[in-house]
Amino acid sequence: MDRFVYLTFDGLSRGAVYAAFALALVLIWRAARIVNFAQGAMAVAAVYVAYSVTDATGSYWLGFVAAIVFGLLLGVAVEKTVMRFVDHSSPLNGVVVALGLVLIVQGVLGILFGNEYRPIETPFRRDAFEVGGIALLSRYDVFVFAAVGAVVVALTLLFTRTAVGLRMRAAAFAPDVSRLLGVPVGGMLTLGWALAAAVGSLAGMLVVPTELGLHPTAMDVVFVSAFTAAVVGGLDSPIGAVTGGLVVGLLLSYVSGYLGATVAPMAVLFLLVAVLLGRPGGLFSHSKARLA
Amino acid sequence: MTDLREKSVAPVVPEKVGRKRRIPPAVAILLGAALILILTYTLPPFRNYQLATVGAYFTVTAGLTVLTGLNGQLSLGHGALMATGAYTFALTQNRWLSMPLSVLAAIVVTTLAGVVIGLAAARLRGPYLAGLTLAVAVVVPSVTSTFDTTFNSDMGLSIALDPPPGTIPMERWQAWLCWAGALVTAFLLATLTRGRFGRDIRAVRDDETAARLAGVHVARTQVLAFVVSAACAGLAGALFAVLAQSVSPGAFPLTLSLFLVMAIVIGGLGRLVGALLGALLLVLLPALAQTAGERSGSQHLEGNLALVIFGVVLVVVMLAAPGGLASIRFTLRRK
Amino acid sequence: MTGAGALLEVDGLTAGYGAAPVLHDVRLSVPSGAIIAVLGANGAGKTTLLRTLSGLLRAARGSVVFDGEDLRGVKVEHLVRRGIAHVPEGRGVVTELTVDENLRLGGLWRRDRLDAARALDEVYDLFPALAQRRASAGHQLSGGERQMLALGRALIGRPRLLLLDEPSLGLAPRITAQIMALLRDLRERTGLTVLLVEQNVRSALSIADEGVVLSLGRVVTRNNAAELRDDADLRHAYLGF
Ligand SMILES: Nc1ncnc2c1ncn2[C@@H]1O[C@H](COP(=O)(O)OP(=O)(O)O)[C@@H](O)[C@H]1O
Ligand SMILES: [Mg+2]
């Protein structure tokens, strides 16, 4: 029972990170109908920036801010220089271009920083508090919840309460109509990529210290989990992404805890296959399955 | 724009393809075999080894270009399928010490894996299919840790190969084996895609509804295309195992799958010649990048420079081609 | 009714989707304060004409001059600022957004926040049905409500020129009549100029001053509304009734 409670909190903490990362995927999917397969690589790049800044200044938080800002800028750059020019006649075009970006980013990171794993510090301790003799969660977990929670709240407010949010939604759903109403659709798209990349960077900052460490391919597995989370929730649904993230986090935690850590990736694959074949529109969608 | 494209590309290219088509596959394959034979007797061992690697890559890119180029299904999981073939080969070989049996086992097991993935893939489109196959590519290598008593985790397995017959040097023998596999694969694929199967998979790619109305069983065709390309990947995996005389998960990273996609895109989707070109690039570019890396004295450059070059080429090709993949793709019209 | 007083002047307009043009050398003049109907059978190029006017489609040749300014140099996003509202075919309600969000979207570009808010209230007064459904999503609305929403959203920008693409499409005759009456009323009250694309010839000509008949992308006739109504040959030839 103790173990179950511990694993649950651990799963929710992991899940929060996947939720953030899935949210980043959903943001771009809604805005541009592209699944950004380069999201993981871009996030790793941001974490390397944080690593360098922290290394130079000795401050975790300066590195943290640098990663987020770098994420924003990288999102803008990727949209403006590459993704904007992708032909949309086939959904595969966007996928293949994003894969090209993965190779570029991983290659550049390898050249700049080398291909060894680098341990990366956390701003808070990762050993769990005990409540009534049960190990619940660590200070770091609390930090993760707070950071992801803040992002979710901020994005919700942005999209539901602000003019920019309304413009972004309109531009994503009906670009031509929006342009006729004076919405700068291209700008909204760029903004969407920037936000998504920043959220992805945050997820990277949160997850890399809890995994093997920093490496150009450090987010490959995380990407698969987050993609699964996004698919579980339905690629169109931000709420679904958050829910999906938590579901995947819990699954991973229970499977690792009860069956062994090496089984966890396969569990994610099984979940992905099950959802894709059973409910391709996501577990929470009411609408018809969307296949492309 | 459109005007120009139609005028310059459409009439020229199919004509050229059409003319090539008049050389029967069997003749092309025999010529290829002769060329390989000559090369293996003239090249130094290391070049023979590279030549063999091209053959192994060609085996998988040929199958992948049929799947992606002719049938429109993008797979990022072919690296994992190769791993399946390679491990099956290794386990069978170490147990029974019979290469024909091991190769056969590799193909059979990978084909079965292809059936499973293909069944799922046939119901998925676009980014969902890409995501699923990507997950396969990332997750499958971790299986080696789950069942480490069989697969020996990250360390992998070494393989007890049958020695080459007579006094043939190992590298030449490897080149022969790889190219035998590659040429047989190419021959079978060329024959297959010229017949009814080829017509069906292209029809499904171009317009599923129309294909269905024309009596093509869409799902079955898609599964079949996946299975065929998986079989190729299985054989290629076995060939890679022969080349390395060992298998380990590190030999089949996600980037391998991405490289394969890059190779077929750059070579011109849907053409076996393109797959060959892509396979050649997969060997040459990293070799060049390695040389450049050694010259510059930076160890970091070695593998990574090739990554960057591949990525840049892939992005540039995709953005430069109007219509993206569709215009890179060749129609392979039947005469 | 052509000449110097025209708010919108179109000349030699040729446009299409690929190599072959859909519109050929279209000439059109819309005087300020007029309601001009563009008529024509399905596929005549009416929608294409409006899309080209607003810049959603790039013209191969020809000029579109609005209030003395060549619109070809104006981005689609800036059209509302010039005073042009285009209500696209199929109404262009953003179905994922609520009624209120759709309407607010129509006024987001405006500097004068106060007047934008006032315009929003006016639209709710004009269409009480919308006021009752403020929080409903676009996809929950009926066809008539959607048309009101799209029209109301256009009015929030206080346009000088309204480009309307088949507002009667799929609506009951009674609702169509209401919308036509509203257009006439708006013109009377605010001096709004309307370029009204319609297949529903009777309705359109009931309020238009002048009609332009398009066939296979060419202007075949231009005449005042009353005469077009009575020209049986023309109706048979181009308008199919
Ligand atoms: N998106 C498009 N791509 C290619 N051709 C189109 C497109 N939209 C319309 N067309 C063609 O342009 C012609 C005019 O269409 P349209 O302007 O929609 O006519 P209308 O609005 O008068 O019914 C038709 O022949 C139609 O087939
Ligand atoms: Mg129309």
Side-chain angles (χ1 to χ4, degrees), chain C residues 150-194:
Chain C
L151 196 56
R153 192 179 59 192
L155 295 178
I156 285 182
R158 298 212 190 280
R160 288 193 285 159
L161 173 65
L162 188 59
L163 307 175
L164 268 182
D165 199 342
E166 302 219 29
S168 76
L169 196 73
L171 297 191
R174 189 175 52 83
I175 301 186
T176 305
Q178 276 174 13
I179 289 192
M180 294 300 158
L182 174 74
L183 290 177
R184 182 158 44 193
D185 188 49
L186 277 170
R187 187 259 294 263
E188 238 85 283
R189 278 196 294 122
T190 65
L192 179 69
T193 309
V194 182

Coordinates of all heavy atoms in Angstrom, one line a residue, chain C residues 150-194:
Chain C
A150 N -22.4 35.7 -39.0 CA -21.3 36.2 -39.9 C -21.6 37.6 -40.3 O -20.6 38.4 -40.4 CB -21.3 35.2 -41.1
L151 N -22.8 37.9 -40.6 CA -23.2 39.3 -41.0 C -22.9 40.3 -39.9 O -22.3 41.3 -40.1 CB -24.6 39.3 -41.4 CG -25.1 40.5 -42.2 CD1 -24.3 40.6 -43.5 CD2 -26.6 40.3 -42.6
G152 N -23.4 39.9 -38.7 CA -23.2 40.8 -37.5 C -21.7 41.0 -37.3 O -21.3 42.1 -37.0
R153 N -20.9 39.9 -37.4 CA -19.5 40.0 -37.1 C -18.8 41.0 -38.1 O -17.9 41.8 -37.8 CB -18.8 38.7 -37.3 CG -17.4 38.6 -36.8 CD -16.9 37.2 -36.9 NE -16.9 36.8 -38.3 CZ -16.7 35.5 -38.7 NH1 -16.5 34.6 -37.8 NH2 -16.8 35.2 -40.0
A154 N -19.3 41.0 -39.4 CA -18.8 41.9 -40.4 C -19.2 43.3 -40.0 O -18.3 44.3 -40.1 CB -19.3 41.6 -41.8
L155 N -20.4 43.5 -39.5 CA -20.8 44.9 -39.2 C -20.1 45.5 -38.0 O -20.0 46.7 -37.9 CB -22.3 44.8 -38.9 CG -23.2 44.4 -40.0 CD1 -24.7 44.4 -39.6 CD2 -23.0 45.4 -41.2
I156 N -19.5 44.7 -37.1 CA -18.8 45.2 -36.0 C -17.6 46.0 -36.5 O -17.1 47.0 -35.8 CB -18.4 44.0 -35.1 CG1 -19.6 43.6 -34.3 CG2 -17.3 44.5 -34.1 CD1 -19.4 42.5 -33.3
G157 N -17.0 45.7 -37.6 CA -15.9 46.5 -38.2 C -16.4 47.8 -38.8 O -15.6 48.5 -39.3
R158 N -17.7 48.1 -38.8 CA -18.3 49.2 -39.4 C -17.7 49.4 -40.8 O -17.1 50.5 -41.1 CB -18.1 50.5 -38.6 CG -18.7 50.4 -37.2 CD -19.2 51.8 -36.7 NE -19.6 51.8 -35.3 CZ -20.7 51.3 -34.8 NH1 -21.6 50.9 -35.7 NH2 -21.0 51.4 -33.6
P159 N -18.0 48.4 -41.7 CA -17.4 48.5 -43.0 C -18.1 49.5 -43.9 O -19.2 49.9 -43.6 CB -17.6 47.1 -43.6 CG -18.9 46.7 -42.9 CD -18.9 47.3 -41.5
R160 N -17.4 49.9 -44.9 CA -18.0 50.8 -45.9 C -18.4 49.9 -47.1 O -19.4 50.2 -47.7 CB -16.9 51.8 -46.5 CG -16.6 52.9 -45.4 CD -15.9 54.0 -46.1 NE -14.5 53.7 -46.3 CZ -13.8 54.3 -47.2 NH1 -14.3 55.3 -47.9 NH2 -12.5 53.9 -47.3
L161 N -17.7 48.8 -47.3 CA -18.1 47.9 -48.4 C -18.2 46.5 -47.8 O -17.4 46.0 -47.1 CB -17.0 47.9 -49.5 CG -17.2 46.9 -50.6 CD1 -18.4 47.2 -51.4 CD2 -15.9 46.8 -51.5
L162 N -19.4 45.9 -48.2 CA -19.6 44.5 -47.7 C -19.6 43.6 -48.9 O -20.4 43.8 -49.8 CB -21.0 44.5 -47.0 CG -21.4 43.3 -46.2 CD1 -20.4 43.0 -45.1 CD2 -22.8 43.5 -45.6
L163 N -18.8 42.6 -48.8 CA -18.7 41.6 -49.9 C -19.5 40.4 -49.3 O -18.9 39.7 -48.4 CB -17.3 41.2 -50.3 CG -16.4 42.4 -50.6 CD1 -14.9 41.8 -50.9 CD2 -16.9 43.1 -51.9
L164 N -20.6 40.1 -49.9 CA -21.4 39.0 -49.3 C -21.5 37.8 -50.3 O -21.9 38.0 -51.4 CB -22.8 39.5 -49.0 CG -23.2 40.0 -47.7 CD1 -24.6 40.4 -47.6 CD2 -22.9 39.0 -46.6
D165 N -21.1 36.6 -49.9 CA -21.1 35.5 -50.8 C -22.3 34.6 -50.5 O -22.2 33.8 -49.5 CB -19.8 34.7 -50.7 CG -19.6 33.9 -51.9 OD1 -20.6 33.6 -52.7 OD2 -18.4 33.5 -52.2
E166 N -23.3 34.6 -51.3 CA -24.5 33.7 -51.1 C -25.0 33.6 -49.7 O -25.1 32.6 -49.2 CB -24.1 32.3 -51.6 CG -23.7 32.3 -53.1 CD -24.2 31.2 -53.9 OE1 -25.3 30.7 -53.6 OE2 -23.5 30.8 -54.8
P167 N -25.5 34.8 -49.2 CA -26.1 34.7 -47.9 C -27.3 33.8 -47.8 O -27.7 33.4 -46.7 CB -26.4 36.2 -47.6 CG -26.5 36.8 -48.9 CD -25.5 36.1 -49.8
S168 N -28.0 33.6 -48.9 CA -29.3 32.9 -48.9 C -29.0 31.4 -48.9 O -30.0 30.6 -48.7 CB -30.2 33.3 -50.0 OG -29.7 32.7 -51.2
L169 N -27.8 31.0 -49.1 CA -27.5 29.5 -49.3 C -28.1 28.7 -48.2 O -27.7 28.9 -47.0 CB -26.0 29.3 -49.4 CG -25.6 28.0 -50.0 CD1 -25.8 27.9 -51.5 CD2 -24.1 27.8 -49.7
G170 N -29.0 27.8 -48.5 CA -29.5 26.9 -47.5 C -30.4 27.5 -46.4 O -30.7 26.8 -45.4
L171 N -30.9 28.7 -46.7 CA -31.8 29.3 -45.7 C -33.2 29.2 -46.2 O -33.5 29.2 -47.4 CB -31.4 30.8 -45.5 CG -30.0 31.0 -44.9 CD1 -29.9 32.5 -44.5 CD2 -29.8 30.1 -43.7
A172 N -34.1 29.2 -45.2 CA -35.6 29.2 -45.6 C -35.9 30.6 -46.2 O -35.3 31.6 -45.9 CB -36.4 29.1 -44.3
P173 N -36.9 30.6 -47.1 CA -37.2 31.8 -47.8 C -37.5 33.0 -46.9 O -37.1 34.1 -47.1 CB -38.4 31.5 -48.6 CG -38.4 30.0 -48.8 CD -37.6 29.5 -47.6
R174 N -38.2 32.7 -45.8 CA -38.5 33.8 -44.8 C -37.3 34.4 -44.3 O -37.2 35.6 -44.2 CB -39.4 33.1 -43.7 CG -40.0 34.1 -42.8 CD -40.9 33.4 -41.8 NE -40.2 32.3 -41.1 CZ -39.4 32.5 -40.0 NH1 -39.2 33.7 -39.5 NH2 -38.8 31.5 -39.5
I175 N -36.3 33.6 -43.9 CA -35.1 34.1 -43.3 C -34.3 34.9 -44.4 O -33.7 36.0 -44.1 CB -34.2 33.0 -42.7 CG1 -35.1 32.3 -41.6 CG2 -32.9 33.5 -42.1 CD1 -34.4 31.3 -40.8
T176 N -34.3 34.4 -45.6 CA -33.6 35.1 -46.7 C -34.2 36.5 -46.8 O -33.5 37.5 -46.9 CB -33.7 34.3 -48.0 OG1 -33.3 33.0 -47.8 CG2 -33.0 35.0 -49.1
A177 N -35.5 36.5 -46.8 CA -36.2 37.8 -47.0 C -35.8 38.8 -45.9 O -35.5 40.0 -46.1 CB -37.7 37.6 -47.0
Q178 N -35.7 38.2 -44.7 CA -35.3 39.1 -43.5 C -33.9 39.7 -43.7 O -33.7 40.8 -43.5 CB -35.3 38.3 -42.2 CG -36.6 38.1 -41.6 CD -36.5 37.2 -40.4 OE1 -35.4 36.8 -39.9 NE2 -37.7 36.8 -39.8
I179 N -33.0 38.8 -44.2 CA -31.6 39.3 -44.4 C -31.6 40.3 -45.5 O -30.9 41.3 -45.4 CB -30.7 38.1 -44.7 CG1 -30.6 37.3 -43.4 CG2 -29.4 38.5 -45.2 CD1 -29.6 36.2 -43.4
M180 N -32.3 40.1 -46.6 CA -32.3 41.1 -47.7 C -32.9 42.4 -47.2 O -32.4 43.5 -47.5 CB -33.2 40.6 -48.8 CG -32.6 39.3 -49.5 SD -31.0 39.6 -50.2 CE -30.4 38.0 -50.3
A181 N -34.0 42.3 -46.4 CA -34.5 43.6 -45.8 C -33.5 44.3 -45.0 O -33.4 45.5 -45.0 CB -35.8 43.2 -45.0
L182 N -32.8 43.5 -44.2 CA -31.8 44.1 -43.3 C -30.7 44.8 -44.1 O -30.3 45.9 -43.8 CB -31.2 43.0 -42.5 CG -30.0 43.4 -41.6 CD1 -30.5 44.3 -40.4 CD2 -29.2 42.3 -41.2
L183 N -30.3 44.2 -45.2 CA -29.3 44.9 -46.0 C -29.8 46.2 -46.6 O -29.1 47.2 -46.6 CB -28.9 43.9 -47.2 CG -28.1 42.7 -46.9 CD1 -27.8 41.8 -48.1 CD2 -26.8 43.1 -46.2
R184 N -31.0 46.2 -47.1 CA -31.6 47.4 -47.6 C -31.6 48.5 -46.5 O -31.3 49.6 -46.7 CB -33.0 47.1 -48.2 CG -33.6 48.4 -48.8 CD -34.7 48.0 -49.8 NE -35.5 47.0 -49.3 CZ -36.4 46.3 -50.0 NH1 -36.5 46.6 -51.3 NH2 -37.2 45.4 -49.5
D185 N -32.0 48.0 -45.4 CA -32.2 48.9 -44.2 C -30.8 49.5 -43.8 O -30.7 50.7 -43.6 CB -32.8 48.1 -43.1 CG -33.1 49.0 -41.9 OD1 -33.8 50.1 -42.2 OD2 -32.7 48.7 -40.8
L186 N -29.8 48.7 -43.8 CA -28.4 49.1 -43.5 C -27.9 50.2 -44.5 O -27.3 51.1 -44.1 CB -27.5 47.9 -43.5 CG -27.4 47.1 -42.2 CD1 -26.6 45.8 -42.5 CD2 -26.8 47.9 -41.1
R187 N -28.2 49.9 -45.7 CA -27.8 50.8 -46.8 C -28.4 52.2 -46.5 O -27.8 53.2 -46.6 CB -28.1 50.3 -48.1 CG -27.6 51.1 -49.3 CD -28.6 52.0 -49.9 NE -29.7 51.2 -50.6 CZ -29.7 50.9 -51.9 NH1 -28.7 51.4 -52.6 NH2 -30.7 50.3 -52.4
E188 N -29.8 52.1 -46.2 CA -30.5 53.3 -46.0 C -29.9 54.1 -44.8 O -29.7 55.3 -44.9 CB -32.0 53.0 -45.7 CG -32.9 53.7 -46.7 CD -33.1 52.9 -48.0 OE1 -32.2 52.9 -48.8 OE2 -34.1 52.2 -48.1
R189 N -29.7 53.4 -43.7 CA -29.3 54.0 -42.5 C -27.8 54.5 -42.5 O -27.5 55.6 -42.0 CB -29.5 53.1 -41.3 CG -31.0 53.1 -40.8 CD -31.1 52.5 -39.4 NE -30.7 51.1 -39.4 CZ -29.7 50.5 -38.7 NH1 -29.0 51.3 -37.9 NH2 -29.5 49.3 -38.8
T190 N -26.9 53.6 -43.0 CA -25.5 53.9 -42.8 C -24.8 54.2 -44.1 O -23.6 54.5 -44.1 CB -24.8 52.7 -42.2 OG1 -24.9 51.6 -43.1 CG2 -25.5 52.3 -40.9
G191 N -25.5 54.1 -45.2 CA -24.8 54.3 -46.5 C -23.9 53.2 -46.9 O -23.0 53.4 -47.7
L192 N -24.1 52.0 -46.3 CA -23.2 50.8 -46.6 C -23.3 50.5 -48.1 O -24.4 50.5 -48.7 CB -23.7 49.7 -45.8 CG -23.0 48.3 -46.0 CD1 -21.6 48.4 -45.4 CD2 -23.8 47.2 -45.2
T193 N -22.2 50.2 -48.7 CA -22.2 49.7 -50.1 C -22.1 48.2 -50.0 O -21.3 47.6 -49.2 CB -21.0 50.3 -50.8 OG1 -20.9 51.7 -50.6 CG2 -21.0 49.9 -52.3
V194 N -22.9 47.5 -50.9 CA -22.9 46.0 -50.8 C -22.6 45.4 -52.2 O -23.2 45.8 -53.2 CB -24.3 45.5 -50.3 CG1 -24.2 44.0 -50.2 CG2 -24.6 46.1 -49.0

